[in-house]
Amino acid sequence: NLQHCKCKDNCQNEDTCKCSDISVRSWYDQNSVLKEGFDFNEPPMIFECNDMCSCNVNSCNNRVVQHGITARMQVYKTYGMGWGVKSLVDIPKGGFVCEYVGELISDAEAEQRENDSYLFDLENRDGDTFCIDANRFGNVTRFINHSCSPNLVPVKVFTSH
C-alpha cells in the first residue's frame, strides 16, 4: 500500500502534502529546482508524489524526476577519456539533470561482473549494498564522466513509497 497525499493543489508545502512531509519538507520550487537550504553535501532523500496521490500529475510541484530529462543533452567523444555527455543548455544549480538507469544488482553480483565501467553504488544504511549496472542497458547518464571537481550530486528520489 503506497503512502500518498490527498492534495487538491500543487503540493507546494509539507504542511498539506503527505509526500513532501515524508521528505521532511517540500524540496522543489515552482520551477522544479531544489529550494534554498537543500544540503548538497549530504542530500536528504526525496519522496515524490505517486500514482495513488490525488494531485495533478502535470502540475504537481512534487513530481520532477517522473517527468524525465527536460534539458537537451549531447553524447560526445572526449579526448583520451572515452565518451562523455554535456548539456546543450544551462541547468540551474539544483535543477534535475537525469536519472541513472540500469540493472539493479547486489554488490556481490557487481564483484562478479567483468566490466565495471558503468556501476553506480547505492549506499544503504540498512546494510544491504546494491549497484545499478548500466552496461547492458541504460540511458545518457552512463556517459557522465567522473570529475575531481564535480558539478553534479546524486540524490535518492523515490516515486513509489
Side-chain angles (χ1 to χ4, degrees), residues 72-88 118 140 142-147 151:
R72 291 193 59 213
M73 311 289 262
Q74 180 181 48
V75 176
Y76 66 100
K77 183 77 170 146
T78 65
Y79 297 105
M81 300 300 280
W83 293 93
V85 65
K86 62 183 174 183
S87 173
L88 298 177
Y118 301 109
V140 69
R142 69 196 296 181
F143 299 110
I144 295 175
N145 286 325
H146 168 78
S147 174
N151 60 358

Side-chain angles (χ1 to χ4, degrees), residues 1 3 6 9-10 13 18 20 28 37 40-41 43 48-49 74 86 107 113 132 138 145 148 152:
N1 195 6
Q3 297 182 51
K6 295 179 169 53
D9 61 5
N10 293 333
N13 68 63
K18 182 175 184 173
S20 293
Y28 301 124
F40 290 96
N41 295 317
E48 291 193 357
C49 292
Q74 180 181 48
K86 62 183 174 183
D107 196 41
R113 299 275 166 111
I132 298 175
N145 286 325
C148 293
L152 294 176

Side-chain angles (χ1 to χ4, degrees), residues 5 8 13-14 17 22 27 39 43 55 57 63 73 76 82 97 104 108 114 122 126 128 133 144 147 156 159:
C5 71
K8 300 296 180 205
N13 68 63
E14 60 277 3
C17 179
I22 297 168
W27 285 115
D39 187 350
C55 53
V57 173
R63 296 177 191 251
M73 311 289 262
Y76 66 100
V97 177
L104 183 63
E114 289 183 26
L122 299 174
D126 295 338
D128 293 332
D133 185 355
I144 295 175
S147 174
K156 291 179 185 171
T159 57

Side-chain angles (χ1 to χ4, degrees), residues 37-130:
F38 186 85
D39 187 350
F40 290 96
N41 295 317
E42 293 288 331
M45 293 184 285
I46 296 177
F47 295 87
E48 291 193 357
C49 292
N50 59 61
D51 293 340
M52 296 293 295
C53 294
S54 302
C55 53
N56 184 301
V57 173
N58 297 316
S59 63
C60 172
N61 285 354
N62 196 37
R63 296 177 191 251
V64 173
V65 172
Q66 297 168 58
H67 293 302
I69 298 171
T70 57
R72 291 193 59 213
M73 311 289 262
Q74 180 181 48
V75 176
Y76 66 100
K77 183 77 170 146
T78 65
Y79 297 105
M81 300 300 280
W83 293 93
V85 65
K86 62 183 174 183
S87 173
L88 298 177
V89 296
D90 289 339
I91 299 172
K93 180 176 181 174
F96 174 69
V97 177
C98 48
E99 174 183 16
Y100 199 84
V101 175
E103 179 184 8
L104 183 63
I105 60 173
S106 68
D107 196 41
E109 173 69 20
E111 295 294 327
Q112 303 299 316
R113 299 275 166 111
E114 289 183 26
N115 184 354
D116 64 356
S117 297
Y118 301 109
L119 292 178
F120 186 86
D121 288 326
L122 299 174
E123 297 171 1
N124 188 353
R125 294 186 181 108
D126 295 338
D128 293 332
T129 309
F130 292 93

